[in-house]
Amino acid sequence: DKRFLIDEVIRELGISRKTLYLWEASGKIPKAKRDPMSNYRFWTEADLKILKGLQDVNNMKIYSFTD
């Protein structure tokens, strides 16, 4: 499976590191995995799909119309 490092994830999603960290800290997304050799944080393709779904939900605007 392909691993995505943080720079690849934020570039793919068009978000800042801070946003990614906030999502993680708030529990909106699971914590990143860590490579046992380098201790680098990484995400899998499945993780990236979840992140893209979260991004889509956050970008949705809900309008209410009243008479």
Side-chain angles (χ1 to χ4, degrees):
D1 287 338
K2 175 153 174 53
R3 292 181 175 189
F4 297 87
L5 298 179
I6 191 164
D7 288 334
E8 295 169 301
V9 171
I10 62 173
R11 183 176 53 245
E12 182 76 24
L13 297 175
I15 62 172
S16 68
R17 282 177 187 255
K18 184 176 181 178
T19 297
L20 188 64
Y21 292 144
L22 287 173
W23 286 354
E24 191 177 58
S26 70
K28 288 184 178 182
I29 61 172
K31 292 196 177 280
K33 296 160 187 70
R34 294 244 180 215
D35 183 286
M37 298 296 286
S38 66
N39 205 34
Y40 286 169
R41 299 157 52 91
F42 72 89
W43 291 263
T44 63
E45 288 186 68
D47 296 332
L48 199 55
K49 285 181 185 178
I50 292 168
L51 294 173
K52 285 181 179 181
L54 176 62
Q55 182 184 34
D56 290 344
V57 169
N58 283 336
N59 287 336
M60 287 172 48
K61 297 189 189 273
I62 300 172
Y63 297 95
S64 101
F65 299 95
T66 58
D67 293 326

Short mmCIF file of all heavy atoms in Angstrom, two decimals:
data_model
loop_
_atom_site.label_atom_id
_atom_site.label_comp_id
_atom_site.label_asym_id
_atom_site.label_seq_id
_atom_site.Cartn_x
_atom_site.Cartn_y
_atom_site.Cartn_z
N ASP A 1 0.83 -1.20 0.00
CA ASP A 1 0.00 0.00 0.00
C ASP A 1 0.87 1.25 0.00
O ASP A 1 1.87 1.30 0.70
CB ASP A 1 -0.91 0.03 1.22
CG ASP A 1 -2.04 -0.97 1.13
OD1 ASP A 1 -2.38 -1.38 0.01
OD2 ASP A 1 -2.58 -1.33 2.18
N LYS A 2 0.42 2.25 -0.75
CA LYS A 2 1.15 3.51 -0.80
C LYS A 2 0.96 4.25 0.51
O LYS A 2 -0.12 4.25 1.10
CB LYS A 2 0.65 4.36 -1.96
CG LYS A 2 1.30 5.73 -1.99
CD LYS A 2 1.35 6.30 -3.36
CE LYS A 2 1.85 7.72 -3.40
NZ LYS A 2 3.10 7.99 -2.76
N ARG A 3 2.03 4.87 0.95
CA ARG A 3 2.00 5.71 2.14
C ARG A 3 2.12 7.16 1.72
O ARG A 3 2.92 7.50 0.86
CB ARG A 3 3.15 5.36 3.08
CG ARG A 3 3.03 3.99 3.69
CD ARG A 3 4.18 3.75 4.62
NE ARG A 3 4.02 2.48 5.32
CZ ARG A 3 4.78 2.09 6.32
NH1 ARG A 3 5.78 2.85 6.72
NH2 ARG A 3 4.56 0.94 6.90
N PHE A 4 1.34 8.01 2.36
CA PHE A 4 1.37 9.43 2.08
C PHE A 4 1.91 10.16 3.30
O PHE A 4 1.36 10.02 4.39
CB PHE A 4 -0.03 9.95 1.75
CG PHE A 4 -0.62 9.35 0.51
CD1 PHE A 4 -1.33 8.15 0.57
CD2 PHE A 4 -0.46 9.97 -0.71
CE1 PHE A 4 -1.88 7.59 -0.57
CE2 PHE A 4 -1.00 9.41 -1.85
CZ PHE A 4 -1.71 8.23 -1.79
N LEU A 5 2.96 10.94 3.10
CA LEU A 5 3.49 11.76 4.18
C LEU A 5 2.68 13.05 4.26
O LEU A 5 1.92 13.38 3.35
CB LEU A 5 4.97 12.06 3.94
CG LEU A 5 5.88 10.83 3.89
CD1 LEU A 5 7.32 11.25 3.60
CD2 LEU A 5 5.80 10.03 5.17
N ILE A 6 2.86 13.78 5.34
CA ILE A 6 2.01 14.94 5.60
C ILE A 6 2.01 15.96 4.45
O ILE A 6 0.96 16.49 4.09
CB ILE A 6 2.35 15.61 6.95
CG1 ILE A 6 1.25 16.62 7.30
CG2 ILE A 6 3.74 16.21 6.93
CD1 ILE A 6 1.27 17.06 8.73
N ASP A 7 3.16 16.23 3.86
CA ASP A 7 3.20 17.21 2.76
C ASP A 7 2.37 16.76 1.57
O ASP A 7 1.72 17.57 0.91
CB ASP A 7 4.64 17.50 2.33
CG ASP A 7 5.39 18.34 3.35
OD1 ASP A 7 4.74 19.09 4.11
OD2 ASP A 7 6.63 18.25 3.40
N GLU A 8 2.36 15.46 1.31
CA GLU A 8 1.55 14.92 0.22
C GLU A 8 0.05 15.03 0.54
O GLU A 8 -0.76 15.36 -0.33
CB GLU A 8 1.91 13.46 -0.05
CG GLU A 8 3.32 13.27 -0.54
CD GLU A 8 3.72 11.80 -0.55
OE1 GLU A 8 3.68 11.16 0.52
OE2 GLU A 8 4.06 11.32 -1.65
N VAL A 9 -0.29 14.77 1.79
CA VAL A 9 -1.70 14.80 2.20
C VAL A 9 -2.24 16.23 2.13
O VAL A 9 -3.31 16.46 1.55
CB VAL A 9 -1.87 14.23 3.63
CG1 VAL A 9 -3.27 14.47 4.15
CG2 VAL A 9 -1.54 12.75 3.65
N ILE A 10 -1.52 17.17 2.69
CA ILE A 10 -2.04 18.54 2.69
C ILE A 10 -2.07 19.12 1.27
O ILE A 10 -2.97 19.88 0.94
CB ILE A 10 -1.28 19.47 3.67
CG1 ILE A 10 0.18 19.62 3.31
CG2 ILE A 10 -1.45 18.96 5.10
CD1 ILE A 10 0.94 20.64 4.15
N ARG A 11 -1.14 18.73 0.43
CA ARG A 11 -1.16 19.19 -0.97
C ARG A 11 -2.35 18.57 -1.70
O ARG A 11 -3.07 19.26 -2.42
CB ARG A 11 0.16 18.82 -1.67
CG ARG A 11 0.24 19.33 -3.09
CD ARG A 11 1.58 19.06 -3.77
NE ARG A 11 1.97 17.67 -3.70
CZ ARG A 11 3.04 17.21 -3.03
NH1 ARG A 11 3.82 18.04 -2.37
NH2 ARG A 11 3.32 15.93 -3.03
N GLU A 12 -2.60 17.30 -1.48
CA GLU A 12 -3.71 16.60 -2.14
C GLU A 12 -5.06 17.20 -1.72
O GLU A 12 -5.96 17.32 -2.53
CB GLU A 12 -3.66 15.11 -1.78
CG GLU A 12 -4.71 14.27 -2.41
CD GLU A 12 -4.48 13.95 -3.87
OE1 GLU A 12 -3.32 13.98 -4.32
OE2 GLU A 12 -5.47 13.69 -4.56
N LEU A 13 -5.17 17.58 -0.44
CA LEU A 13 -6.43 18.10 0.08
C LEU A 13 -6.55 19.61 -0.06
O LEU A 13 -7.64 20.16 0.09
CB LEU A 13 -6.59 17.71 1.55
CG LEU A 13 -6.67 16.22 1.85
CD1 LEU A 13 -6.71 15.99 3.35
CD2 LEU A 13 -7.88 15.60 1.17
N GLY A 14 -5.41 20.28 -0.27
CA GLY A 14 -5.44 21.74 -0.37
C GLY A 14 -5.73 22.40 0.97
O GLY A 14 -6.41 23.43 1.04
N ILE A 15 -5.21 21.80 2.05
CA ILE A 15 -5.41 22.35 3.39
C ILE A 15 -4.05 22.61 4.03
O ILE A 15 -3.02 22.18 3.52
CB ILE A 15 -6.24 21.40 4.29
CG1 ILE A 15 -5.52 20.06 4.47
CG2 ILE A 15 -7.65 21.21 3.73
CD1 ILE A 15 -6.16 19.12 5.49
N SER A 16 -4.06 23.29 5.15
CA SER A 16 -2.82 23.56 5.87
C SER A 16 -2.50 22.43 6.85
O SER A 16 -3.38 21.63 7.20
CB SER A 16 -2.94 24.88 6.64
OG SER A 16 -3.87 24.73 7.69
N ARG A 17 -1.27 22.40 7.29
CA ARG A 17 -0.88 21.44 8.33
C ARG A 17 -1.74 21.65 9.57
O ARG A 17 -2.18 20.70 10.21
CB ARG A 17 0.59 21.63 8.74
CG ARG A 17 1.57 21.05 7.80
CD ARG A 17 2.99 21.39 8.30
NE ARG A 17 3.95 20.97 7.31
CZ ARG A 17 4.71 19.90 7.44
NH1 ARG A 17 4.66 19.19 8.53
NH2 ARG A 17 5.55 19.56 6.48
N LYS A 18 -1.95 22.93 9.90
CA LYS A 18 -2.72 23.26 11.11
C LYS A 18 -4.12 22.65 11.03
O LYS A 18 -4.61 22.10 12.01
CB LYS A 18 -2.80 24.78 11.28
CG LYS A 18 -3.50 25.19 12.54
CD LYS A 18 -3.46 26.69 12.72
CE LYS A 18 -4.15 27.06 14.02
NZ LYS A 18 -4.11 28.50 14.26
N THR A 19 -4.75 22.76 9.87
CA THR A 19 -6.09 22.18 9.70
C THR A 19 -6.06 20.68 9.92
O THR A 19 -6.90 20.13 10.64
CB THR A 19 -6.66 22.51 8.31
OG1 THR A 19 -6.80 23.92 8.19
CG2 THR A 19 -8.00 21.84 8.08
N LEU A 20 -5.07 20.02 9.33
CA LEU A 20 -4.96 18.57 9.50
C LEU A 20 -4.76 18.22 10.97
O LEU A 20 -5.40 17.30 11.50
CB LEU A 20 -3.81 18.02 8.65
CG LEU A 20 -3.71 16.51 8.59
CD1 LEU A 20 -4.93 15.88 7.92
CD2 LEU A 20 -2.45 16.10 7.84
N TYR A 21 -3.88 18.96 11.66
CA TYR A 21 -3.65 18.70 13.07
C TYR A 21 -4.90 18.96 13.91
O TYR A 21 -5.19 18.23 14.84
CB TYR A 21 -2.50 19.56 13.61
CG TYR A 21 -1.14 19.20 13.06
CD1 TYR A 21 -0.20 20.19 12.80
CD2 TYR A 21 -0.78 17.89 12.81
CE1 TYR A 21 1.06 19.87 12.30
CE2 TYR A 21 0.47 17.56 12.31
CZ TYR A 21 1.38 18.57 12.06
OH TYR A 21 2.63 18.25 11.58
N LEU A 22 -5.66 20.00 13.56
CA LEU A 22 -6.89 20.31 14.29
C LEU A 22 -7.92 19.21 14.12
O LEU A 22 -8.60 18.82 15.08
CB LEU A 22 -7.46 21.65 13.85
CG LEU A 22 -6.71 22.89 14.32
CD1 LEU A 22 -7.27 24.15 13.67
CD2 LEU A 22 -6.77 23.01 15.84
N TRP A 23 -8.06 18.72 12.89
CA TRP A 23 -8.99 17.61 12.63
C TRP A 23 -8.60 16.40 13.47
O TRP A 23 -9.44 15.73 14.06
CB TRP A 23 -9.00 17.23 11.17
CG TRP A 23 -9.70 18.19 10.25
CD1 TRP A 23 -10.41 19.30 10.59
CD2 TRP A 23 -9.74 18.11 8.83
NE1 TRP A 23 -10.89 19.92 9.46
CE2 TRP A 23 -10.49 19.21 8.36
CE3 TRP A 23 -9.21 17.23 7.90
CZ2 TRP A 23 -10.73 19.43 7.01
CZ3 TRP A 23 -9.45 17.45 6.56
CH2 TRP A 23 -10.21 18.54 6.11
N GLU A 24 -7.30 16.13 13.53
CA GLU A 24 -6.81 14.98 14.28
C GLU A 24 -7.04 15.17 15.78
O GLU A 24 -7.53 14.27 16.46
CB GLU A 24 -5.33 14.76 13.98
CG GLU A 24 -4.79 13.45 14.48
CD GLU A 24 -3.34 13.26 14.10
OE1 GLU A 24 -2.49 14.09 14.47
OE2 GLU A 24 -3.06 12.27 13.43
N ALA A 25 -6.70 16.35 16.28
CA ALA A 25 -6.84 16.63 17.72
C ALA A 25 -8.30 16.61 18.16
O ALA A 25 -8.61 16.20 19.29
CB ALA A 25 -6.22 17.98 18.04
N SER A 26 -9.21 17.01 17.27
CA SER A 26 -10.63 17.05 17.62
C SER A 26 -11.29 15.68 17.49
O SER A 26 -12.45 15.52 17.85
CB SER A 26 -11.37 18.06 16.74
OG SER A 26 -11.44 17.58 15.41
N GLY A 27 -10.57 14.71 16.94
CA GLY A 27 -11.11 13.38 16.79
C GLY A 27 -11.93 13.18 15.53
O GLY A 27 -12.55 12.14 15.35
N LYS A 28 -11.93 14.18 14.63
CA LYS A 28 -12.67 14.04 13.37
C LYS A 28 -12.04 12.99 12.47
O LYS A 28 -12.72 12.39 11.65
CB LYS A 28 -12.70 15.37 12.62
CG LYS A 28 -13.58 16.41 13.23
CD LYS A 28 -13.61 17.65 12.37
CE LYS A 28 -14.54 18.69 12.94
NZ LYS A 28 -14.60 19.88 12.08
N ILE A 29 -10.75 12.82 12.61
CA ILE A 29 -10.03 11.82 11.82
C ILE A 29 -9.17 10.99 12.75
O ILE A 29 -8.78 11.46 13.83
CB ILE A 29 -9.14 12.47 10.72
CG1 ILE A 29 -8.08 13.38 11.34
CG2 ILE A 29 -10.00 13.20 9.71
CD1 ILE A 29 -7.06 13.90 10.35
N PRO A 30 -8.86 9.76 12.37
CA PRO A 30 -7.98 8.95 13.22
C PRO A 30 -6.56 9.50 13.20
O PRO A 30 -6.15 10.16 12.25
CB PRO A 30 -8.04 7.56 12.58
CG PRO A 30 -8.65 7.73 11.24
CD PRO A 30 -9.35 9.05 11.21
N LYS A 31 -5.84 9.23 14.26
CA LYS A 31 -4.44 9.67 14.32
C LYS A 31 -3.64 8.99 13.22
O LYS A 31 -3.92 7.86 12.85
CB LYS A 31 -3.84 9.34 15.68
CG LYS A 31 -4.44 10.16 16.81
CD LYS A 31 -3.56 10.07 18.04
CE LYS A 31 -4.12 10.94 19.14
NZ LYS A 31 -3.80 12.34 18.98
N ALA A 32 -2.66 9.73 12.72
CA ALA A 32 -1.78 9.18 11.68
C ALA A 32 -1.01 7.99 12.24
O ALA A 32 -0.75 7.90 13.44
CB ALA A 32 -0.82 10.26 11.21
N LYS A 33 -0.66 7.10 11.33
CA LYS A 33 0.19 5.97 11.72
C LYS A 33 1.64 6.48 11.75
O LYS A 33 1.93 7.53 11.19
CB LYS A 33 0.02 4.84 10.71
CG LYS A 33 -1.39 4.27 10.71
CD LYS A 33 -1.67 3.52 9.42
CE LYS A 33 -3.10 3.10 9.32
NZ LYS A 33 -4.03 4.21 9.12
N ARG A 34 2.52 5.74 12.37
CA ARG A 34 3.93 6.11 12.45
C ARG A 34 4.78 5.00 11.88
O ARG A 34 4.56 3.82 12.17
CB ARG A 34 4.35 6.36 13.89
CG ARG A 34 3.68 7.57 14.50
CD ARG A 34 4.70 8.60 14.84
NE ARG A 34 4.08 9.77 15.43
CZ ARG A 34 4.52 10.98 15.22
NH1 ARG A 34 5.57 11.18 14.48
NH2 ARG A 34 3.92 12.00 15.78
N ASP A 35 5.75 5.39 11.07
CA ASP A 35 6.71 4.43 10.55
C ASP A 35 7.63 4.03 11.70
O ASP A 35 8.21 4.90 12.36
CB ASP A 35 7.51 5.07 9.41
CG ASP A 35 8.47 4.09 8.79
OD1 ASP A 35 9.51 3.80 9.44
OD2 ASP A 35 8.21 3.62 7.68
N PRO A 36 7.79 2.74 11.97
CA PRO A 36 8.62 2.31 13.11
C PRO A 36 10.10 2.65 12.97
O PRO A 36 10.79 2.82 13.97
CB PRO A 36 8.41 0.80 13.17
CG PRO A 36 7.87 0.40 11.84
CD PRO A 36 7.20 1.60 11.26
N MET A 37 10.58 2.77 11.74
CA MET A 37 12.00 3.07 11.54
C MET A 37 12.28 4.57 11.63
O MET A 37 13.22 4.99 12.30
CB MET A 37 12.47 2.54 10.19
CG MET A 37 12.37 1.03 10.06
SD MET A 37 13.43 0.15 11.20
CE MET A 37 15.00 0.44 10.45
N SER A 38 11.48 5.38 10.95
CA SER A 38 11.76 6.82 10.89
C SER A 38 10.92 7.63 11.87
O SER A 38 11.25 8.78 12.15
CB SER A 38 11.48 7.34 9.48
OG SER A 38 10.08 7.24 9.20
N ASN A 39 9.85 7.04 12.37
CA ASN A 39 8.88 7.71 13.24
C ASN A 39 8.10 8.79 12.50
O ASN A 39 7.42 9.59 13.11
CB ASN A 39 9.54 8.27 14.50
CG ASN A 39 8.54 8.40 15.63
OD1 ASN A 39 7.63 7.59 15.76
ND2 ASN A 39 8.70 9.42 16.44
N TYR A 40 8.19 8.84 11.17
CA TYR A 40 7.41 9.78 10.37
C TYR A 40 5.95 9.39 10.42
O TYR A 40 5.60 8.21 10.41
CB TYR A 40 7.85 9.78 8.91
CG TYR A 40 9.16 10.45 8.62
CD1 TYR A 40 9.73 10.31 7.37
CD2 TYR A 40 9.83 11.22 9.57
CE1 TYR A 40 10.94 10.92 7.06
CE2 TYR A 40 11.04 11.83 9.27
CZ TYR A 40 11.59 11.68 8.02
OH TYR A 40 12.77 12.28 7.72
N ARG A 41 5.10 10.41 10.43
CA ARG A 41 3.66 10.18 10.35
C ARG A 41 3.31 9.87 8.91
O ARG A 41 3.89 10.44 7.99
CB ARG A 41 2.92 11.45 10.78
CG ARG A 41 3.22 11.86 12.20
CD ARG A 41 2.95 13.34 12.43
NE ARG A 41 1.64 13.76 12.02
CZ ARG A 41 0.56 13.78 12.80
NH1 ARG A 41 0.67 13.42 14.06
NH2 ARG A 41 -0.60 14.16 12.35
N PHE A 42 2.34 8.95 8.70
CA PHE A 42 1.90 8.66 7.34
C PHE A 42 0.45 8.25 7.33
O PHE A 42 -0.12 7.88 8.36
CB PHE A 42 2.78 7.58 6.68
CG PHE A 42 2.57 6.20 7.23
CD1 PHE A 42 1.60 5.36 6.68
CD2 PHE A 42 3.33 5.73 8.28
CE1 PHE A 42 1.40 4.08 7.19
CE2 PHE A 42 3.14 4.45 8.79
CZ PHE A 42 2.17 3.62 8.24
N TRP A 43 -0.15 8.35 6.16
CA TRP A 43 -1.54 7.96 5.93
C TRP A 43 -1.57 7.02 4.74
O TRP A 43 -0.75 7.10 3.84
CB TRP A 43 -2.41 9.19 5.62
CG TRP A 43 -2.58 10.10 6.80
CD1 TRP A 43 -3.64 10.13 7.66
CD2 TRP A 43 -1.69 11.10 7.28
NE1 TRP A 43 -3.46 11.07 8.63
CE2 TRP A 43 -2.26 11.69 8.41
CE3 TRP A 43 -0.44 11.56 6.87
CZ2 TRP A 43 -1.65 12.71 9.13
CZ3 TRP A 43 0.18 12.58 7.58
CH2 TRP A 43 -0.43 13.13 8.69
N THR A 44 -2.54 6.12 4.74
CA THR A 44 -2.69 5.18 3.63
C THR A 44 -3.70 5.74 2.62
O THR A 44 -4.33 6.78 2.87
CB THR A 44 -3.23 3.83 4.15
OG1 THR A 44 -4.53 4.04 4.70
CG2 THR A 44 -2.30 3.22 5.19
N GLU A 45 -3.87 5.04 1.50
CA GLU A 45 -4.86 5.45 0.51
C GLU A 45 -6.26 5.45 1.12
O GLU A 45 -7.07 6.34 0.84
CB GLU A 45 -4.81 4.55 -0.72
CG GLU A 45 -3.57 4.80 -1.56
CD GLU A 45 -3.58 4.01 -2.85
OE1 GLU A 45 -4.42 4.33 -3.71
OE2 GLU A 45 -2.73 3.11 -2.98
N ALA A 46 -6.55 4.46 1.96
CA ALA A 46 -7.85 4.40 2.62
C ALA A 46 -8.04 5.61 3.54
O ALA A 46 -9.12 6.21 3.59
CB ALA A 46 -7.98 3.11 3.42
N ASP A 47 -6.98 5.98 4.26
CA ASP A 47 -7.04 7.17 5.12
C ASP A 47 -7.32 8.42 4.29
O ASP A 47 -8.11 9.28 4.68
CB ASP A 47 -5.73 7.37 5.88
CG ASP A 47 -5.42 6.26 6.86
OD1 ASP A 47 -6.37 5.63 7.38
OD2 ASP A 47 -4.22 6.03 7.11
N LEU A 48 -6.65 8.52 3.14
CA LEU A 48 -6.81 9.68 2.28
C LEU A 48 -8.25 9.80 1.78
O LEU A 48 -8.80 10.89 1.70
CB LEU A 48 -5.83 9.61 1.12
CG LEU A 48 -5.55 10.92 0.39
CD1 LEU A 48 -5.08 12.01 1.33
CD2 LEU A 48 -4.53 10.70 -0.70
N LYS A 49 -8.90 8.67 1.50
CA LYS A 49 -10.31 8.68 1.07
C LYS A 49 -11.19 9.24 2.19
O LYS A 49 -12.10 10.02 1.94
CB LYS A 49 -10.78 7.28 0.69
CG LYS A 49 -10.26 6.82 -0.65
CD LYS A 49 -10.76 5.44 -0.98
CE LYS A 49 -10.13 4.95 -2.27
NZ LYS A 49 -10.55 3.61 -2.63
N ILE A 50 -10.91 8.85 3.42
CA ILE A 50 -11.66 9.36 4.57
C ILE A 50 -11.45 10.86 4.69
O ILE A 50 -12.40 11.62 4.90
CB ILE A 50 -11.23 8.64 5.87
CG1 ILE A 50 -11.68 7.19 5.83
CG2 ILE A 50 -11.79 9.36 7.10
CD1 ILE A 50 -11.08 6.33 6.92
N LEU A 51 -10.20 11.30 4.55
CA LEU A 51 -9.89 12.72 4.66
C LEU A 51 -10.59 13.53 3.57
O LEU A 51 -11.10 14.61 3.83
CB LEU A 51 -8.37 12.95 4.59
CG LEU A 51 -7.57 12.37 5.75
CD1 LEU A 51 -6.07 12.51 5.47
CD2 LEU A 51 -7.93 13.03 7.05
N LYS A 52 -10.62 12.99 2.36
CA LYS A 52 -11.30 13.68 1.26
C LYS A 52 -12.80 13.77 1.55
O LYS A 52 -13.43 14.79 1.27
CB LYS A 52 -11.05 12.97 -0.06
CG LYS A 52 -9.66 13.22 -0.60
CD LYS A 52 -9.45 12.52 -1.93
CE LYS A 52 -8.06 12.80 -2.46
NZ LYS A 52 -7.84 12.15 -3.75
N GLY A 53 -13.38 12.72 2.12
CA GLY A 53 -14.79 12.75 2.48
C GLY A 53 -15.08 13.79 3.55
O GLY A 53 -16.07 14.52 3.47
N LEU A 54 -14.19 13.89 4.53
CA LEU A 54 -14.35 14.89 5.58
C LEU A 54 -14.25 16.29 4.99
O LEU A 54 -15.02 17.18 5.33
CB LEU A 54 -13.30 14.70 6.67
CG LEU A 54 -13.30 15.74 7.78
CD1 LEU A 54 -14.62 15.72 8.54
CD2 LEU A 54 -12.14 15.52 8.72
N GLN A 55 -13.31 16.46 4.09
CA GLN A 55 -13.14 17.76 3.45
C GLN A 55 -14.40 18.14 2.67
O GLN A 55 -14.85 19.27 2.74
CB GLN A 55 -11.94 17.73 2.51
CG GLN A 55 -11.67 19.07 1.85
CD GLN A 55 -10.55 18.98 0.85
OE1 GLN A 55 -10.37 17.96 0.20
NE2 GLN A 55 -9.80 20.04 0.72
N ASP A 56 -15.01 17.18 1.97
CA ASP A 56 -16.24 17.44 1.22
C ASP A 56 -17.36 17.88 2.16
O ASP A 56 -18.10 18.81 1.88
CB ASP A 56 -16.67 16.21 0.43
CG ASP A 56 -15.75 15.91 -0.74
OD1 ASP A 56 -14.96 16.79 -1.14
OD2 ASP A 56 -15.82 14.77 -1.25
N VAL A 57 -17.48 17.20 3.30
CA VAL A 57 -18.52 17.55 4.27
C VAL A 57 -18.27 18.94 4.83
O VAL A 57 -19.20 19.74 4.96
CB VAL A 57 -18.57 16.50 5.42
CG1 VAL A 57 -19.44 16.99 6.56
CG2 VAL A 57 -19.08 15.18 4.90
N ASN A 58 -17.02 19.27 5.13
CA ASN A 58 -16.71 20.58 5.68
C ASN A 58 -16.95 21.69 4.67
O ASN A 58 -17.21 22.83 5.05
CB ASN A 58 -15.26 20.63 6.18
CG ASN A 58 -15.09 19.94 7.51
OD1 ASN A 58 -16.04 19.81 8.27
ND2 ASN A 58 -13.90 19.49 7.79
N ASN A 59 -16.85 21.38 3.39
CA ASN A 59 -17.04 22.40 2.35
C ASN A 59 -18.51 22.60 1.98
O ASN A 59 -18.84 23.55 1.29
CB ASN A 59 -16.25 22.03 1.10
CG ASN A 59 -14.77 22.24 1.30
OD1 ASN A 59 -14.35 23.02 2.14
ND2 ASN A 59 -13.97 21.53 0.53
N MET A 60 -19.38 21.68 2.45
CA MET A 60 -20.80 21.80 2.12
C MET A 60 -21.41 22.95 2.89
O MET A 60 -21.10 23.17 4.04
CB MET A 60 -21.56 20.51 2.47
CG MET A 60 -21.27 19.38 1.51
SD MET A 60 -21.94 17.78 2.01
CE MET A 60 -23.60 18.13 2.45
N LYS A 61 -22.28 23.69 2.23
CA LYS A 61 -23.00 24.76 2.89
C LYS A 61 -24.47 24.39 2.88
O LYS A 61 -25.01 23.95 1.88
CB LYS A 61 -22.78 26.08 2.17
CG LYS A 61 -21.34 26.53 2.19
CD LYS A 61 -21.22 27.92 1.65
CE LYS A 61 -19.79 28.30 1.45
NZ LYS A 61 -19.09 28.83 2.50
N ILE A 62 -25.10 24.57 4.00
CA ILE A 62 -26.51 24.24 4.12
C ILE A 62 -27.29 25.55 4.23
O ILE A 62 -27.00 26.39 5.08
CB ILE A 62 -26.78 23.35 5.35
CG1 ILE A 62 -26.00 22.05 5.20
CG2 ILE A 62 -28.27 23.11 5.54
CD1 ILE A 62 -26.02 21.18 6.43
N TYR A 63 -28.23 25.73 3.33
CA TYR A 63 -29.03 26.94 3.32
C TYR A 63 -30.45 26.60 3.75
O TYR A 63 -30.98 25.57 3.39
CB TYR A 63 -29.08 27.53 1.90
CG TYR A 63 -27.73 27.94 1.40
CD1 TYR A 63 -26.95 27.10 0.63
CD2 TYR A 63 -27.21 29.19 1.74
CE1 TYR A 63 -25.70 27.47 0.18
CE2 TYR A 63 -25.97 29.58 1.29
CZ TYR A 63 -25.21 28.72 0.52
OH TYR A 63 -23.98 29.10 0.07
N SER A 64 -31.05 27.48 4.51
CA SER A 64 -32.43 27.27 4.85
C SER A 64 -33.24 28.43 4.30
O SER A 64 -32.81 29.58 4.39
CB SER A 64 -32.59 27.13 6.35
OG SER A 64 -33.04 28.27 6.95
N PHE A 65 -34.36 28.11 3.74
CA PHE A 65 -35.21 29.14 3.14
C PHE A 65 -36.49 29.25 3.97
O PHE A 65 -37.11 28.25 4.30
CB PHE A 65 -35.56 28.77 1.69
CG PHE A 65 -34.36 28.67 0.82
CD1 PHE A 65 -33.74 27.44 0.58
CD2 PHE A 65 -33.81 29.80 0.25
CE1 PHE A 65 -32.62 27.36 -0.22
CE2 PHE A 65 -32.70 29.73 -0.56
CZ PHE A 65 -32.10 28.51 -0.79
N THR A 66 -36.80 30.47 4.31
CA THR A 66 -38.03 30.69 5.07
C THR A 66 -38.94 31.60 4.28
O THR A 66 -38.50 32.36 3.41
CB THR A 66 -37.73 31.33 6.44
OG1 THR A 66 -37.04 32.56 6.23
CG2 THR A 66 -36.90 30.41 7.31
N ASP A 67 -40.24 31.54 4.57
CA ASP A 67 -41.23 32.38 3.87
C ASP A 67 -41.14 33.80 4.33
O ASP A 67 -40.94 34.15 5.40
CB ASP A 67 -42.66 31.86 4.09
CG ASP A 67 -42.84 30.50 3.41
OD1 ASP A 67 -42.25 30.27 2.36
OD2 ASP A 67 -43.62 29.71 3.97
#
